């Protein structure tokens, strides 16, 4: 089934999956239109972190996600794209890698489909070339790579995390990074997501 389950039922990150209240439902037309545009490129579709992820030679290039008020196409290495029209948005002020394009209607998809394909073509070339994000000194870089990847799949969470106070952010980061296994890191992020979306710290109830 692959990513079809996302378009049919939602991401599964909350109990609303498969119900009319799932945030994917009102955006289904826009999501399907964007999926068609993306799949007309060289990218392959997979399901990762509960959402459609598009890859080239097994490397992550972009994610497709529905938020409450928009749909976004998130480029994992968007900071490297030339973005001549200035359309790319940071998921949060500390985001060093991911950038996303915003779509609020089918008209946006029609208007920006050619631009999206141009950005995808550039992103694919960058990935094939082995281009890497030059992260700043990790003592000053608050987001580890595993978290920025997850934020690319969930821009709503990235925006909520960016709104937290620095102290709350540090508390979560210490909690996430103290886990050594990728599966444990992911589980901790998912467990903390409801609190982050409510603006609460890790130890707040």
């Amino acid at each position: 089934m692959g990513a079809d389950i996302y378009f049919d039922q939602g991401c599964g990150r909350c109990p609303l999956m498969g119900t009319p209240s799932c945030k994917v439902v009102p955006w289904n037309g826009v999501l399907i239109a964007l999926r068609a545009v993306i799949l007309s490129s060289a990218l392959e579709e997979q399901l990762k972190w509960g959402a459609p992820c598009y890859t080239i030679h097994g490397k992550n290039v972009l994610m497709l996600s529905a938020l409450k008020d928009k749909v976004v196409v998130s480029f994992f290495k968007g900071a490297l794209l030339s973005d001549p029209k200035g359309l790319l948005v940071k998921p949060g002020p500390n985001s060093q890698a991911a950038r996303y394009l915003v779509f609020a209607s089918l008209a946006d998809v029609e208007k920006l489909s050619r631009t999206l394909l141009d950005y995808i073509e550039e992103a694919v070339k960058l990935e094939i070339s082995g281009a890497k994000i030059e992260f700043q000194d990790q003592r000053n870089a608050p987001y580890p790579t595993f978290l920025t990847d997850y934020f690319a799949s969930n821009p709503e969470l990235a925006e909520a995390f960016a709104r937290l106070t620095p102290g709350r952010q540090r508390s979560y980061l210490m909690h996430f990074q103290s886990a050594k296994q990728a599966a444990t890191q992911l589980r901790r992020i998912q467990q903390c997501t409801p609190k982050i979306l409510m603006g609460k710290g890790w130890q707040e109830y």
Side-chain angles (χ1 to χ4, degrees):
M1 181 177 289
D4 288 343
I5 192 171
Y6 177 84
F7 299 95
D8 294 339
Q9 300 183 43
C11 67
R13 295 190 183 116
C14 75
L16 298 177
M17 181 179 183
T19 73
S21 298
C22 175
K23 65 186 177 185
V24 172
V25 173
W27 293 109
N28 197 254
V30 174
L31 287 165
I32 290 174
L34 284 169
R35 184 191 200 188
V37 174
I38 295 167
L39 289 177
S40 72
S41 72
L43 297 178
E44 296 183 356
E45 183 181 72
Q46 300 179 38
L47 186 70
K48 291 188 178 182
W49 305 292
C53 179
Y54 298 87
T55 65
I56 189 75
H57 304 323
K59 302 291 186 180
N60 298 333
V61 176
L62 62 88
M63 300 284 302
L64 179 58
S65 306
L67 282 66
K68 290 181 180 179
D69 60 345
K70 56 183 173 281
V71 172
V72 297
V73 174
S74 305
F75 290 90
F76 283 87
K77 296 180 180 178
L80 297 179
L81 297 178
S82 55
D83 190 23
K85 298 182 179 181
L87 299 175
L88 294 176
V89 178
K90 279 187 174 185
N94 293 312
S95 176
Q96 298 183 60
R99 299 290 187 273
Y100 59 71
L101 283 174
V102 176
F103 298 85
S105 66
L106 283 170
D108 284 350
V109 179
E110 183 176 353
K111 176 183 176 182
L112 295 174
S113 60
R114 182 65 258 171
T115 298
L116 173 57
L117 286 172
D118 289 343
Y119 283 36
I120 290 174
E121 182 179 1
E122 183 181 1
V124 167
K125 289 179 179 177
L126 286 168
E127 195 59 53
I128 291 175
S129 75
K132 298 184 181 298
I133 297 287
E134 294 295 329
F135 290 101
Q136 57 182 288
D137 190 315
Q138 287 301 307
R139 291 171 297 179
N140 300 313
Y143 297 173
T145 302
F146 69 83
L147 186 58
T148 59
D149 283 352
Y150 191 77
F151 280 164
S153 76
N154 194 339
E156 184 177 20
L157 181 63
E159 292 175 356
F161 194 86
R163 290 193 296 267
L164 295 175
T165 63
R168 288 189 175 103
Q169 290 185 4
R170 284 194 297 272
S171 179
Y172 279 118
L173 290 167
M174 289 175 63
H175 177 52
F176 298 154
Q177 291 179 287
S178 65
K180 303 304 180 184
Q181 300 296 321
T184 307
Q185 293 167 347
L186 177 59
R187 184 167 63 251
R188 289 186 178 183
I189 295 169
Q190 292 173 331
Q191 290 171 341
C192 291
T193 291
K195 284 187 177 182
I196 294 172
L197 293 175
M198 290 187 289
K200 293 184 176 181
W202 175 43
Q203 296 180 320
E204 293 181 62
Y205 297 95

PDB file of all heavy atoms in Angstrom, residues 127-161:
ATOM      1  N   GLU A 127      21.471  16.335  -4.574  1.00  0.00           N
ATOM      2  CA  GLU A 127      21.579  15.062  -3.846  1.00  0.00           C
ATOM      3  C   GLU A 127      22.522  14.115  -4.575  1.00  0.00           C
ATOM      4  O   GLU A 127      23.368  13.457  -3.945  1.00  0.00           O
ATOM      5  CB  GLU A 127      20.192  14.435  -3.702  1.00  0.00           C
ATOM      6  CG  GLU A 127      20.138  13.328  -2.683  1.00  0.00           C
ATOM      7  CD  GLU A 127      20.545  13.787  -1.297  1.00  0.00           C
ATOM      8  OE1 GLU A 127      19.997  14.778  -0.789  1.00  0.00           O
ATOM      9  OE2 GLU A 127      21.440  13.131  -0.715  1.00  0.00           O
ATOM     10  N   ILE A 128      22.394  14.042  -5.894  1.00  0.00           N
ATOM     11  CA  ILE A 128      23.263  13.154  -6.670  1.00  0.00           C
ATOM     12  C   ILE A 128      24.725  13.605  -6.601  1.00  0.00           C
ATOM     13  O   ILE A 128      25.651  12.785  -6.576  1.00  0.00           O
ATOM     14  CB  ILE A 128      22.778  13.092  -8.135  1.00  0.00           C
ATOM     15  CG1 ILE A 128      21.427  12.350  -8.207  1.00  0.00           C
ATOM     16  CG2 ILE A 128      23.809  12.401  -9.019  1.00  0.00           C
ATOM     17  CD1 ILE A 128      20.798  12.344  -9.592  1.00  0.00           C
ATOM     18  N   SER A 129      24.930  14.902  -6.522  1.00  0.00           N
ATOM     19  CA  SER A 129      26.292  15.438  -6.451  1.00  0.00           C
ATOM     20  C   SER A 129      26.945  15.214  -5.091  1.00  0.00           C
ATOM     21  O   SER A 129      28.159  15.395  -4.943  1.00  0.00           O
ATOM     22  CB  SER A 129      26.280  16.944  -6.758  1.00  0.00           C
ATOM     23  OG  SER A 129      25.758  17.686  -5.656  1.00  0.00           O
ATOM     24  N   GLY A 130      26.125  14.830  -4.101  1.00  0.00           N
ATOM     25  CA  GLY A 130      26.667  14.620  -2.756  1.00  0.00           C
ATOM     26  C   GLY A 130      26.754  15.890  -1.940  1.00  0.00           C
ATOM     27  O   GLY A 130      27.417  15.909  -0.887  1.00  0.00           O
ATOM     28  N   ALA A 131      26.103  16.949  -2.387  1.00  0.00           N
ATOM     29  CA  ALA A 131      26.144  18.222  -1.662  1.00  0.00           C
ATOM     30  C   ALA A 131      25.629  18.046  -0.246  1.00  0.00           C
ATOM     31  O   ALA A 131      24.659  17.323  -0.004  1.00  0.00           O
ATOM     32  CB  ALA A 131      25.302  19.264  -2.395  1.00  0.00           C
ATOM     33  N   LYS A 132      26.266  18.697   0.702  1.00  0.00           N
ATOM     34  CA  LYS A 132      25.893  18.589   2.106  1.00  0.00           C
ATOM     35  C   LYS A 132      25.672  19.964   2.721  1.00  0.00           C
ATOM     36  O   LYS A 132      26.271  20.953   2.299  1.00  0.00           O
ATOM     37  CB  LYS A 132      26.973  17.833   2.904  1.00  0.00           C
ATOM     38  CG  LYS A 132      27.175  16.391   2.442  1.00  0.00           C
ATOM     39  CD  LYS A 132      28.176  15.678   3.320  1.00  0.00           C
ATOM     40  CE  LYS A 132      28.408  14.247   2.838  1.00  0.00           C
ATOM     41  NZ  LYS A 132      27.170  13.447   2.901  1.00  0.00           N
ATOM     42  N   ILE A 133      24.819  19.998   3.710  1.00  0.00           N
ATOM     43  CA  ILE A 133      24.595  21.217   4.473  1.00  0.00           C
ATOM     44  C   ILE A 133      25.782  21.438   5.389  1.00  0.00           C
ATOM     45  O   ILE A 133      26.221  20.514   6.090  1.00  0.00           O
ATOM     46  CB  ILE A 133      23.307  21.120   5.326  1.00  0.00           C
ATOM     47  CG1 ILE A 133      22.077  20.961   4.422  1.00  0.00           C
ATOM     48  CG2 ILE A 133      23.162  22.321   6.236  1.00  0.00           C
ATOM     49  CD1 ILE A 133      21.682  22.202   3.671  1.00  0.00           C
ATOM     50  N   GLU A 134      26.327  22.625   5.388  1.00  0.00           N
ATOM     51  CA  GLU A 134      27.421  22.963   6.296  1.00  0.00           C
ATOM     52  C   GLU A 134      26.810  23.468   7.596  1.00  0.00           C
ATOM     53  O   GLU A 134      26.527  24.650   7.763  1.00  0.00           O
ATOM     54  CB  GLU A 134      28.335  24.025   5.669  1.00  0.00           C
ATOM     55  CG  GLU A 134      29.101  23.557   4.444  1.00  0.00           C
ATOM     56  CD  GLU A 134      30.097  22.451   4.772  1.00  0.00           C
ATOM     57  OE1 GLU A 134      30.622  22.444   5.909  1.00  0.00           O
ATOM     58  OE2 GLU A 134      30.328  21.586   3.906  1.00  0.00           O
ATOM     59  N   PHE A 135      26.599  22.531   8.535  1.00  0.00           N
ATOM     60  CA  PHE A 135      26.002  22.921   9.805  1.00  0.00           C
ATOM     61  C   PHE A 135      27.002  23.723  10.625  1.00  0.00           C
ATOM     62  O   PHE A 135      28.208  23.488  10.590  1.00  0.00           O
ATOM     63  CB  PHE A 135      25.576  21.677  10.587  1.00  0.00           C
ATOM     64  CG  PHE A 135      24.400  20.963   9.985  1.00  0.00           C
ATOM     65  CD1 PHE A 135      24.587  19.821   9.216  1.00  0.00           C
ATOM     66  CD2 PHE A 135      23.122  21.434  10.169  1.00  0.00           C
ATOM     67  CE1 PHE A 135      23.504  19.155   8.651  1.00  0.00           C
ATOM     68  CE2 PHE A 135      22.032  20.778   9.603  1.00  0.00           C
ATOM     69  CZ  PHE A 135      22.223  19.650   8.853  1.00  0.00           C
ATOM     70  N   GLN A 136      26.459  24.674  11.375  1.00  0.00           N
ATOM     71  CA  GLN A 136      27.315  25.460  12.236  1.00  0.00           C
ATOM     72  C   GLN A 136      27.820  24.588  13.384  1.00  0.00           C
ATOM     73  O   GLN A 136      27.350  23.475  13.591  1.00  0.00           O
ATOM     74  CB  GLN A 136      26.548  26.664  12.792  1.00  0.00           C
ATOM     75  CG  GLN A 136      25.275  26.291  13.551  1.00  0.00           C
ATOM     76  CD  GLN A 136      24.517  27.496  14.046  1.00  0.00           C
ATOM     77  OE1 GLN A 136      24.956  28.159  14.970  1.00  0.00           O
ATOM     78  NE2 GLN A 136      23.396  27.788  13.430  1.00  0.00           N
ATOM     79  N   ASP A 137      28.783  25.102  14.126  1.00  0.00           N
ATOM     80  CA  ASP A 137      29.343  24.413  15.285  1.00  0.00           C
ATOM     81  C   ASP A 137      28.212  23.829  16.130  1.00  0.00           C
ATOM     82  O   ASP A 137      27.282  24.535  16.501  1.00  0.00           O
ATOM     83  CB  ASP A 137      30.164  25.410  16.112  1.00  0.00           C
ATOM     84  CG  ASP A 137      30.970  24.728  17.198  1.00  0.00           C
ATOM     85  OD1 ASP A 137      30.419  23.852  17.885  1.00  0.00           O
ATOM     86  OD2 ASP A 137      32.143  25.099  17.367  1.00  0.00           O
ATOM     87  N   GLN A 138      28.310  22.534  16.437  1.00  0.00           N
ATOM     88  CA  GLN A 138      27.226  21.882  17.157  1.00  0.00           C
ATOM     89  C   GLN A 138      26.975  22.481  18.541  1.00  0.00           C
ATOM     90  O   GLN A 138      25.904  22.310  19.114  1.00  0.00           O
ATOM     91  CB  GLN A 138      27.506  20.375  17.282  1.00  0.00           C
ATOM     92  CG  GLN A 138      27.336  19.623  15.981  1.00  0.00           C
ATOM     93  CD  GLN A 138      25.931  19.757  15.408  1.00  0.00           C
ATOM     94  OE1 GLN A 138      24.949  19.497  16.081  1.00  0.00           O
ATOM     95  NE2 GLN A 138      25.848  20.194  14.168  1.00  0.00           N
ATOM     96  N   ARG A 139      27.957  23.198  19.095  1.00  0.00           N
ATOM     97  CA  ARG A 139      27.708  23.854  20.387  1.00  0.00           C
ATOM     98  C   ARG A 139      26.686  24.961  20.237  1.00  0.00           C
ATOM     99  O   ARG A 139      26.035  25.356  21.192  1.00  0.00           O
ATOM    100  CB  ARG A 139      29.018  24.431  20.937  1.00  0.00           C
ATOM    101  CG  ARG A 139      30.013  23.362  21.379  1.00  0.00           C
ATOM    102  CD  ARG A 139      31.355  23.978  21.697  1.00  0.00           C
ATOM    103  NE  ARG A 139      31.944  24.597  20.497  1.00  0.00           N
ATOM    104  CZ  ARG A 139      33.111  25.214  20.508  1.00  0.00           C
ATOM    105  NH1 ARG A 139      33.821  25.306  21.614  1.00  0.00           N
ATOM    106  NH2 ARG A 139      33.590  25.741  19.377  1.00  0.00           N
ATOM    107  N   ASN A 140      26.550  25.494  19.017  1.00  0.00           N
ATOM    108  CA  ASN A 140      25.603  26.571  18.765  1.00  0.00           C
ATOM    109  C   ASN A 140      24.443  26.116  17.883  1.00  0.00           C
ATOM    110  O   ASN A 140      23.564  26.912  17.568  1.00  0.00           O
ATOM    111  CB  ASN A 140      26.319  27.743  18.068  1.00  0.00           C
ATOM    112  CG  ASN A 140      27.452  28.286  18.916  1.00  0.00           C
ATOM    113  OD1 ASN A 140      27.292  28.513  20.101  1.00  0.00           O
ATOM    114  ND2 ASN A 140      28.614  28.481  18.300  1.00  0.00           N
ATOM    115  N   ALA A 141      24.461  24.860  17.441  1.00  0.00           N
ATOM    116  CA  ALA A 141      23.418  24.350  16.564  1.00  0.00           C
ATOM    117  C   ALA A 141      22.425  23.539  17.386  1.00  0.00           C
ATOM    118  O   ALA A 141      22.731  22.433  17.803  1.00  0.00           O
ATOM    119  CB  ALA A 141      24.032  23.475  15.470  1.00  0.00           C
ATOM    120  N   PRO A 142      21.249  24.100  17.671  1.00  0.00           N
ATOM    121  CA  PRO A 142      20.341  23.466  18.614  1.00  0.00           C
ATOM    122  C   PRO A 142      19.636  22.221  18.100  1.00  0.00           C
ATOM    123  O   PRO A 142      19.142  21.449  18.900  1.00  0.00           O
ATOM    124  CB  PRO A 142      19.323  24.566  18.917  1.00  0.00           C
ATOM    125  CG  PRO A 142      19.342  25.439  17.707  1.00  0.00           C
ATOM    126  CD  PRO A 142      20.745  25.384  17.194  1.00  0.00           C
ATOM    127  N   TYR A 143      19.566  22.020  16.801  1.00  0.00           N
ATOM    128  CA  TYR A 143      18.792  20.897  16.285  1.00  0.00           C
ATOM    129  C   TYR A 143      19.701  19.813  15.719  1.00  0.00           C
ATOM    130  O   TYR A 143      20.404  20.043  14.727  1.00  0.00           O
ATOM    131  CB  TYR A 143      17.841  21.349  15.174  1.00  0.00           C
ATOM    132  CG  TYR A 143      16.784  22.340  15.593  1.00  0.00           C
ATOM    133  CD1 TYR A 143      15.961  22.927  14.634  1.00  0.00           C
ATOM    134  CD2 TYR A 143      16.597  22.707  16.921  1.00  0.00           C
ATOM    135  CE1 TYR A 143      14.977  23.835  14.994  1.00  0.00           C
ATOM    136  CE2 TYR A 143      15.619  23.614  17.292  1.00  0.00           C
ATOM    137  CZ  TYR A 143      14.811  24.180  16.333  1.00  0.00           C
ATOM    138  OH  TYR A 143      13.853  25.077  16.687  1.00  0.00           O
ATOM    139  N   PRO A 144      19.696  18.608  16.292  1.00  0.00           N
ATOM    140  CA  PRO A 144      20.463  17.499  15.704  1.00  0.00           C
ATOM    141  C   PRO A 144      19.814  17.053  14.390  1.00  0.00           C
ATOM    142  O   PRO A 144      18.631  17.297  14.149  1.00  0.00           O
ATOM    143  CB  PRO A 144      20.365  16.406  16.768  1.00  0.00           C
ATOM    144  CG  PRO A 144      19.094  16.712  17.507  1.00  0.00           C
ATOM    145  CD  PRO A 144      18.983  18.214  17.513  1.00  0.00           C
ATOM    146  N   THR A 145      20.571  16.354  13.581  1.00  0.00           N
ATOM    147  CA  THR A 145      20.091  15.966  12.259  1.00  0.00           C
ATOM    148  C   THR A 145      18.828  15.113  12.314  1.00  0.00           C
ATOM    149  O   THR A 145      17.909  15.309  11.519  1.00  0.00           O
ATOM    150  CB  THR A 145      21.194  15.200  11.495  1.00  0.00           C
ATOM    151  OG1 THR A 145      22.353  16.035  11.393  1.00  0.00           O
ATOM    152  CG2 THR A 145      20.734  14.836  10.098  1.00  0.00           C
ATOM    153  N   PHE A 146      18.762  14.165  13.266  1.00  0.00           N
ATOM    154  CA  PHE A 146      17.578  13.303  13.315  1.00  0.00           C
ATOM    155  C   PHE A 146      16.316  14.113  13.602  1.00  0.00           C
ATOM    156  O   PHE A 146      15.222  13.756  13.165  1.00  0.00           O
ATOM    157  CB  PHE A 146      17.743  12.174  14.341  1.00  0.00           C
ATOM    158  CG  PHE A 146      17.744  12.604  15.786  1.00  0.00           C
ATOM    159  CD1 PHE A 146      16.556  12.822  16.474  1.00  0.00           C
ATOM    160  CD2 PHE A 146      18.937  12.766  16.473  1.00  0.00           C
ATOM    161  CE1 PHE A 146      16.554  13.202  17.812  1.00  0.00           C
ATOM    162  CE2 PHE A 146      18.956  13.144  17.805  1.00  0.00           C
ATOM    163  CZ  PHE A 146      17.761  13.370  18.475  1.00  0.00           C
ATOM    164  N   LEU A 147      16.477  15.238  14.314  1.00  0.00           N
ATOM    165  CA  LEU A 147      15.304  16.067  14.616  1.00  0.00           C
ATOM    166  C   LEU A 147      14.937  16.940  13.418  1.00  0.00           C
ATOM    167  O   LEU A 147      13.747  17.111  13.123  1.00  0.00           O
ATOM    168  CB  LEU A 147      15.578  16.934  15.838  1.00  0.00           C
ATOM    169  CG  LEU A 147      14.393  17.745  16.371  1.00  0.00           C
ATOM    170  CD1 LEU A 147      13.223  16.829  16.735  1.00  0.00           C
ATOM    171  CD2 LEU A 147      14.810  18.560  17.594  1.00  0.00           C
ATOM    172  N   THR A 148      15.920  17.480  12.716  1.00  0.00           N
ATOM    173  CA  THR A 148      15.606  18.291  11.541  1.00  0.00           C
ATOM    174  C   THR A 148      14.942  17.436  10.468  1.00  0.00           C
ATOM    175  O   THR A 148      14.058  17.906   9.749  1.00  0.00           O
ATOM    176  CB  THR A 148      16.864  18.975  10.958  1.00  0.00           C
ATOM    177  OG1 THR A 148      17.833  17.991  10.598  1.00  0.00           O
ATOM    178  CG2 THR A 148      17.486  19.926  11.978  1.00  0.00           C
ATOM    179  N   ASP A 149      15.352  16.172  10.356  1.00  0.00           N
ATOM    180  CA  ASP A 149      14.699  15.268   9.399  1.00  0.00           C
ATOM    181  C   ASP A 149      13.235  15.052   9.790  1.00  0.00           C
ATOM    182  O   ASP A 149      12.345  15.048   8.930  1.00  0.00           O
ATOM    183  CB  ASP A 149      15.427  13.920   9.340  1.00  0.00           C
ATOM    184  CG  ASP A 149      16.721  13.989   8.542  1.00  0.00           C
ATOM    185  OD1 ASP A 149      16.977  15.030   7.907  1.00  0.00           O
ATOM    186  OD2 ASP A 149      17.467  12.995   8.546  1.00  0.00           O
ATOM    187  N   TYR A 150      12.999  14.863  11.078  1.00  0.00           N
ATOM    188  CA  TYR A 150      11.623  14.657  11.520  1.00  0.00           C
ATOM    189  C   TYR A 150      10.809  15.938  11.333  1.00  0.00           C
ATOM    190  O   TYR A 150       9.630  15.879  10.957  1.00  0.00           O
ATOM    191  CB  TYR A 150      11.577  14.220  12.981  1.00  0.00           C
ATOM    192  CG  TYR A 150      10.212  13.735  13.403  1.00  0.00           C
ATOM    193  CD1 TYR A 150       9.757  12.472  13.034  1.00  0.00           C
ATOM    194  CD2 TYR A 150       9.360  14.535  14.149  1.00  0.00           C
ATOM    195  CE1 TYR A 150       8.506  12.016  13.388  1.00  0.00           C
ATOM    196  CE2 TYR A 150       8.097  14.093  14.517  1.00  0.00           C
ATOM    197  CZ  TYR A 150       7.675  12.827  14.138  1.00  0.00           C
ATOM    198  OH  TYR A 150       6.423  12.389  14.488  1.00  0.00           O
ATOM    199  N   PHE A 151      11.413  17.084  11.589  1.00  0.00           N
ATOM    200  CA  PHE A 151      10.725  18.362  11.378  1.00  0.00           C
ATOM    201  C   PHE A 151      10.338  18.530   9.911  1.00  0.00           C
ATOM    202  O   PHE A 151       9.306  19.125   9.598  1.00  0.00           O
ATOM    203  CB  PHE A 151      11.606  19.528  11.808  1.00  0.00           C
ATOM    204  CG  PHE A 151      11.625  19.774  13.296  1.00  0.00           C
ATOM    205  CD1 PHE A 151      12.611  20.566  13.860  1.00  0.00           C
ATOM    206  CD2 PHE A 151      10.658  19.237  14.126  1.00  0.00           C
ATOM    207  CE1 PHE A 151      12.628  20.823  15.226  1.00  0.00           C
ATOM    208  CE2 PHE A 151      10.662  19.474  15.488  1.00  0.00           C
ATOM    209  CZ  PHE A 151      11.661  20.269  16.042  1.00  0.00           C
ATOM    210  N   ALA A 152      11.181  18.033   9.006  1.00  0.00           N
ATOM    211  CA  ALA A 152      10.856  18.125   7.576  1.00  0.00           C
ATOM    212  C   ALA A 152       9.585  17.360   7.262  1.00  0.00           C
ATOM    213  O   ALA A 152       8.839  17.720   6.356  1.00  0.00           O
ATOM    214  CB  ALA A 152      12.008  17.602   6.726  1.00  0.00           C
ATOM    215  N   SER A 153       9.316  16.295   8.027  1.00  0.00           N
ATOM    216  CA  SER A 153       8.112  15.506   7.812  1.00  0.00           C
ATOM    217  C   SER A 153       6.909  16.083   8.545  1.00  0.00           C
ATOM    218  O   SER A 153       5.773  15.699   8.281  1.00  0.00           O
ATOM    219  CB  SER A 153       8.322  14.060   8.286  1.00  0.00           C
ATOM    220  OG  SER A 153       8.269  13.964   9.700  1.00  0.00           O
ATOM    221  N   ASN A 154       7.152  17.010   9.461  1.00  0.00           N
ATOM    222  CA  ASN A 154       6.079  17.558  10.288  1.00  0.00           C
ATOM    223  C   ASN A 154       6.334  19.038  10.551  1.00  0.00           C
ATOM    224  O   ASN A 154       6.718  19.427  11.659  1.00  0.00           O
ATOM    225  CB  ASN A 154       5.995  16.785  11.608  1.00  0.00           C
ATOM    226  CG  ASN A 154       4.711  17.057  12.371  1.00  0.00           C
ATOM    227  OD1 ASN A 154       4.054  18.073  12.143  1.00  0.00           O
ATOM    228  ND2 ASN A 154       4.359  16.166  13.274  1.00  0.00           N
ATOM    229  N   PRO A 155       6.132  19.903   9.545  1.00  0.00           N
ATOM    230  CA  PRO A 155       6.394  21.339   9.714  1.00  0.00           C
ATOM    231  C   PRO A 155       5.587  21.977  10.837  1.00  0.00           C
ATOM    232  O   PRO A 155       6.034  22.952  11.449  1.00  0.00           O
ATOM    233  CB  PRO A 155       6.011  21.926   8.348  1.00  0.00           C
ATOM    234  CG  PRO A 155       6.170  20.792   7.395  1.00  0.00           C
ATOM    235  CD  PRO A 155       5.740  19.574   8.170  1.00  0.00           C
ATOM    236  N   GLU A 156       4.391  21.456  11.096  1.00  0.00           N
ATOM    237  CA  GLU A 156       3.582  22.000  12.189  1.00  0.00           C
ATOM    238  C   GLU A 156       4.318  21.851  13.519  1.00  0.00           C
ATOM    239  O   GLU A 156       4.336  22.764  14.347  1.00  0.00           O
ATOM    240  CB  GLU A 156       2.231  21.276  12.249  1.00  0.00           C
ATOM    241  CG  GLU A 156       1.280  21.838  13.282  1.00  0.00           C
ATOM    242  CD  GLU A 156      -0.071  21.139  13.262  1.00  0.00           C
ATOM    243  OE1 GLU A 156      -0.158  20.003  12.746  1.00  0.00           O
ATOM    244  OE2 GLU A 156      -1.033  21.733  13.750  1.00  0.00           O
ATOM    245  N   LEU A 157       4.959  20.707  13.718  1.00  0.00           N
ATOM    246  CA  LEU A 157       5.744  20.485  14.926  1.00  0.00           C
ATOM    247  C   LEU A 157       6.975  21.388  14.936  1.00  0.00           C
ATOM    248  O   LEU A 157       7.339  21.936  15.991  1.00  0.00           O
ATOM    249  CB  LEU A 157       6.174  19.013  15.006  1.00  0.00           C
ATOM    250  CG  LEU A 157       6.995  18.624  16.231  1.00  0.00           C
ATOM    251  CD1 LEU A 157       6.187  18.805  17.507  1.00  0.00           C
ATOM    252  CD2 LEU A 157       7.475  17.178  16.107  1.00  0.00           C
ATOM    253  N   ALA A 158       7.616  21.559  13.781  1.00  0.00           N
ATOM    254  CA  ALA A 158       8.788  22.433  13.695  1.00  0.00           C
ATOM    255  C   ALA A 158       8.429  23.865  14.101  1.00  0.00           C
ATOM    256  O   ALA A 158       9.170  24.525  14.847  1.00  0.00           O
ATOM    257  CB  ALA A 158       9.351  22.419  12.280  1.00  0.00           C
ATOM    258  N   GLU A 159       7.279  24.335  13.637  1.00  0.00           N
ATOM    259  CA  GLU A 159       6.847  25.696  13.976  1.00  0.00           C
ATOM    260  C   GLU A 159       6.529  25.809  15.458  1.00  0.00           C
ATOM    261  O   GLU A 159       6.870  26.809  16.106  1.00  0.00           O
ATOM    262  CB  GLU A 159       5.631  26.073  13.132  1.00  0.00           C
ATOM    263  CG  GLU A 159       5.952  26.224  11.645  1.00  0.00           C
ATOM    264  CD  GLU A 159       4.718  26.476  10.805  1.00  0.00           C
ATOM    265  OE1 GLU A 159       3.594  26.453  11.365  1.00  0.00           O
ATOM    266  OE2 GLU A 159       4.862  26.702   9.586  1.00  0.00           O
ATOM    267  N   ALA A 160       5.887  24.783  16.016  1.00  0.00           N
ATOM    268  CA  ALA A 160       5.548  24.799  17.436  1.00  0.00           C
ATOM    269  C   ALA A 160       6.812  24.758  18.296  1.00  0.00           C
ATOM    270  O   ALA A 160       6.909  25.452  19.318  1.00  0.00           O
ATOM    271  CB  ALA A 160       4.643  23.621  17.779  1.00  0.00           C
ATOM    272  N   PHE A 161       7.794  23.959  17.887  1.00  0.00           N
ATOM    273  CA  PHE A 161       9.049  23.863  18.625  1.00  0.00           C
ATOM    274  C   PHE A 161       9.783  25.197  18.610  1.00  0.00           C
ATOM    275  O   PHE A 161      10.355  25.628  19.612  1.00  0.00           O
ATOM    276  CB  PHE A 161       9.925  22.767  18.033  1.00  0.00           C
ATOM    277  CG  PHE A 161      11.079  22.369  18.915  1.00  0.00           C
ATOM    278  CD1 PHE A 161      10.911  21.410  19.895  1.00  0.00           C
ATOM    279  CD2 PHE A 161      12.328  22.941  18.753  1.00  0.00           C
ATOM    280  CE1 PHE A 161      11.973  21.047  20.717  1.00  0.00           C
ATOM    281  CE2 PHE A 161      13.393  22.591  19.557  1.00  0.00           C
ATOM    282  CZ  PHE A 161      13.221  21.633  20.555  1.00  0.00           C
TER     283      PHE A 161
END
